[in-house]
Structure formats: C-alpha cells, structure tokens
Amino acid sequence: MNQETQLYMPTRIIQGPKCLLNNSPLLKRLGKRALIVTGLTSSKLNGSLEDAIAALENENIRYKIFDQVSDQPTIETVQEAFEQNQREGIEFILGLGKGSAIDAAKAIGVLFRNRGISAREAFNMQNLRSIPIVAVPTIAGSGSEVTPYSIITDHSLRQKKDFGQESFPKIAFLDPRYMYNADFSDLLANGFDAFTHLVEGYLNAKATFYSDLLAEEGFRLFSKLKTVFFGPQFPHEAMNDLMVMATLGGMVIAQTGTGLPHALGYVLTYEKGLAHGVATAAMYRGYLAQCQETEKLERMLEAMGFSTLDALLDYISELMDYRLDLSEEEIQNYTRTMIQNLGRVKTQMHRVTKTQLAEMYRLALRP
Ligand code: FE
C-alpha cells in the first residue's frame, strides 16, 4: 500500500449479553453523577433502563433520568434536558435507546461541557467537545454508538441535520438482548439504516483501506441476514449479527460520512414521515444507477451475494413497503435545498447535477 491511510475510532466497544452490568466499574471512571437520556417507553420495556440503573447503583453513582427524547429529537428537547439538570453536577451521560436517544445524549453533553452556549448557538458552531457519553443502543441501526454525529431536528429550517460537534461516545455497550422484543418493522427500518451506512461509506470518496475492510465484513453479515428481513420472525442469533453489522456501519461512516441518499432522505422523514432507514433506502434506485465506481460496486454485490445490481434493487423494493406522494414542485424544492448544501454533494465519488438529484426523487416514487 503506497498511499496514506487512517482509522480513528476512540470508542471502546464492548459486546455481549449483560455487558453493561458486567462492566459497571468502567462507569466509575467517568464520574460520580450521571444523566440517563432515553425515550419515554421502550427502554423501560426492553430491560435496558433497569440494567443501566443497576450498573450505576453498583458503583454508587447518583443519577437523574431525562426520558423525553422522541424519534426525531429537536433543538428544544436538547435545551430542555440541559436546563432541567444543569445544577445536578452531571459528569457524564448515558444515552439509552435508538439512534435518536444516543444522538440527543451527545448534543446534551455538549451543553454540559460548554456552559453558557445554547443548543441553538451550538448548532451553528463546530468542534465543541462534550462531557463523556456512554452509548447503549437498544436497536441495531444508526451506529451512533461509534460515531461523532448527532442528528437533530430544527423546525425553523424544517430539516434534520448533524449537530456538528466531535462527540464520539467513550464506551458503547452492545447487548442484543434489548432487541428481543423489538417490532419487526423497527428491526427492518433500522437494519436498513445500517445497510445504507455500509454502502454509502464504501462508495465514498473518503473511504480508506480500513473503512473498506469494515464495510466488506458488514456486507458479508448482511448476506447472512438477507432472507431474515422478509420475516415474520427475527431469530435471536440474527439480532446479534445485525448489531455487529450496525456498529460496523457506524465505524465506517465515522470515517467517511454518509452519502447522497442520507442527505436526500432527511427531508422525506421530516416532511413525509418516512422512517429514516426507509427514506434513505427509497433513494437507492437512483443513487446506485448513477454510481460510477463500477469495480467497487461489483465487489460489494459479490460480498452481499447478489449477482447483479438489479437483483439488489429488486430486493430493496420488495422489502421497503412505503407510500410516498411527491409533487414535481416538492421535488424541485427539495433539490434546490440540496444543491445549497454542497458539502454533501462534494463527498461523493463524482459531482452530481440538480437534474440527477431530481431524478433520484422521481425514481423513489412508486406506481
Ligand atoms: Fe442513517
């Protein structure tokens, strides 16, 4: 290898049943007071909140709970979580739940570390650090447990975007038991988010030797899981594979960022209510059709066990059961906003035009 290459992964990853409870002494090093950030219900049902409380109590760490994170956390929620707990001497945050809870935990952690800066001000700043974050994903998908990203909704922009700070979690605890009672549709939508991270990180101008290794292993896991996504049951062993696949996807996009389908899909989640993984996968017909990295595309298809690109696209269409109504005017509006967000377009393998972007939305429509 003659070219320079690198991998940055500052998160300690611990995986296995009961790993949070078994490794509770690691939490003690992060401080004596913690804030648990989670959603309203699922962490209470899947056992993760109970484990988190037991782990903190084992180490005599005092804690507060903020359980108001929705599927699309907003700037206001981030601000609220900080204000409610700003006088509690919080030293670290435990984010528990889907990507949304972990993303919110990171943004809240930035406010604790940078007192006096509001969530809205932080949204327009860069490279702010956070107090330590411990991530406990309860469904495989976002990979947020191993990325610096934090996707937050800004109603004033009618968009979701990255909070933009450097907040890799210190520790990620991956316990597949928390997924055992998850809804099948949630497993599918989140699993497809993980799939898209692997693909967009692989077919990406910022891909490195190391990120490609991780992505290729993720593709092989995906090939094992392909049929499981058709349901009706998701066996427990498959959940473990899915969790690894999602974390690999997170490690990949931590190096490369996500690609066009993510950028184009956010608006479909905001305006049309499509689940993030579904909104992103909906863009794949147009995205892969304009991919010019034929050699890598071939290698990817082979690792996933598809003989042709059409076989992969048919597979995605068959699984993604969504309804999408988009007028030509909406397509033009979304495309215009995208073009203004040039940072995204530049991370692709080659430049894309406004016409190509509009075509990607049209190909997402169903007859
Ligand atoms: Fe994603």
Side-chain angles (χ1 to χ4, degrees):
M1 197 189 319
N2 297 318
Q3 283 169 328
E4 183 179 302
T5 189
Q6 57 171 291
L7 177 81
Y8 181 56
M9 184 38 58
T11 306
R12 180 198 294 261
I13 301 167
I14 305 181
Q15 179 175 0
K18 300 195 178 174
C19 57
L20 174 56
L21 284 172
N22 293 341
N23 293 278
S24 64
L26 289 174
L27 301 177
K28 198 161 191 117
R29 296 189 204 163
L30 303 177
K32 294 187 185 69
R33 282 175 185 240
L35 175 65
I36 297 176
V37 170
T38 188
L40 200 52
T41 49
S42 63
S43 62
K44 289 162 192 145
L45 301 175
N46 60 32
S48 61
L49 184 60
E50 201 180 321
D51 283 0
I53 290 173
L56 293 168
E57 286 179 349
N58 279 348
E59 306 304 326
N60 293 317
I61 297 167
R62 294 177 63 184
Y63 61 89
K64 288 278 169 182
I65 300 176
F66 179 82
D67 63 2
Q68 302 296 313
V69 182
S70 69
D71 274 2
Q72 313 295 338
T74 61
I75 298 188
E76 290 76 20
T77 309
V78 170
Q79 186 69 36
E80 172 81 19
F82 170 70
E83 281 175 13
Q84 277 183 21
N85 296 285
Q86 59 180 324
R87 276 177 277 279
E88 301 291 342
I90 302 298
E91 290 175 275
F92 69 98
I93 300 185
L94 226 140
L96 207 68
K98 295 182 187 178
S100 49
I102 299 170
D103 283 6
K106 294 172 182 174
I108 295 163
V110 168
L111 300 191
F112 275 100
R113 174 83 187 245
N114 301 276
R115 293 195 177 241
I117 294 178
S118 72
R120 182 158 294 284
E121 285 162 347
F123 217 168
N124 294 314
M125 298 168 80
Q126 278 185 332
N127 301 323
L128 296 174
R129 311 228 345 243
S130 153
I131 59 172
I133 305 295
V134 175
V136 185
T138 58
I139 195 155
S142 77
S144 181
E145 65 276 9
V146 289
T147 74
Y149 313 125
S150 164
I151 304 301
I152 301 293
T153 294
D154 182 348
H155 287 307
S156 72
L157 294 176
R158 299 186 67 81
Q159 253 298 18
K160 292 166 57 167
K161 67 169 198 167
D162 183 22
F163 201 60
Q165 316 304 337
E166 275 293 316
S167 33
F168 275 100
K170 284 269 182 246
I171 315 174
F173 289 107
L174 309 180
D175 186 339
R177 291 181 308 141
Y178 304 142
M179 292 161 70
Y180 290 174
N181 299 321
D183 281 345
F184 192 85
S185 62
D186 261 354
L187 287 167
L188 177 66
N190 284 280
F192 259 75
D193 188 25
F195 164 84
T196 62
H197 295 159
L198 293 165
V199 175
E200 288 165 45
Y202 193 66
L203 303 175
N204 193 300
K206 292 184 186 157
T208 70
F209 169 77
Y210 293 108
S211 68
D212 281 353
L213 281 183
L214 298 167
E216 284 164 10
E217 194 51 42
F219 296 148
R220 276 185 278 279
L221 281 170
F222 173 76
S223 80
K224 275 171 74 182
L225 294 168
K226 266 189 324 210
T227 51
V228 177
F229 282 119
F230 284 107
Q233 285 289 318
F234 219 100
H236 290 179
E237 323 82 76
M239 289 180 191
N240 195 52
D241 283 345
L242 186 57
M243 200 151 228
V244 178
M245 184 183 123
T247 300
L248 289 172
M251 291 168 83
V252 170
I253 58 167
Q255 317 305 313
T256 62
T258 50
L260 265 187
H262 266 71
L264 293 168
Y266 285 146
V267 68
L268 299 182
T269 300
Y270 188 90
E271 300 287 351
K272 304 290 175 183
L274 287 190
H276 167 63
V278 176
T280 311
M283 308 311 302
Y284 265 53
R285 193 164 285 278
Y287 165 62
L288 291 177
Q290 52 86 24
C291 173
Q292 294 175 3
E293 276 295 299
T294 40
E295 220 175 279
K296 273 192 120 173
L297 192 60
E298 298 267 299
R299 241 182 296 155
M300 177 183 100
L301 290 171
E302 195 187 326
M304 288 178 180
F306 289 107
S307 50
T308 61
L309 177 57
D310 280 341
L312 168 63
L313 293 173
D314 291 347
Y315 170 84
I316 296 174
S317 311
E318 207 177 326
L319 276 179
M320 294 290 114
D321 181 23
Y322 62 86
R323 288 189 62 81
L324 181 59
D325 296 313
L326 273 185
S327 67
E328 190 53 34
E329 193 190 342
E330 285 172 314
I331 292 178
Q332 292 303 328
N333 284 341
Y334 298 171
T335 311
R336 203 171 317 118
T337 315
M338 257 311 291
I339 285 289
Q340 285 159 3
N341 188 3
L342 278 176
R344 287 284 186 182
V345 183
K346 270 192 278 189
T347 65
Q348 301 306 302
M349 288 289 195
H350 61 97
R351 296 196 72 88
V352 281
T353 63
K354 189 162 179 269
T355 318
Q356 284 173 311
L357 294 179
E359 189 56 17
M360 285 172 68
Y361 279 119
R362 284 187 208 107
L363 287 169
L365 295 171
R366 310 211 132 187

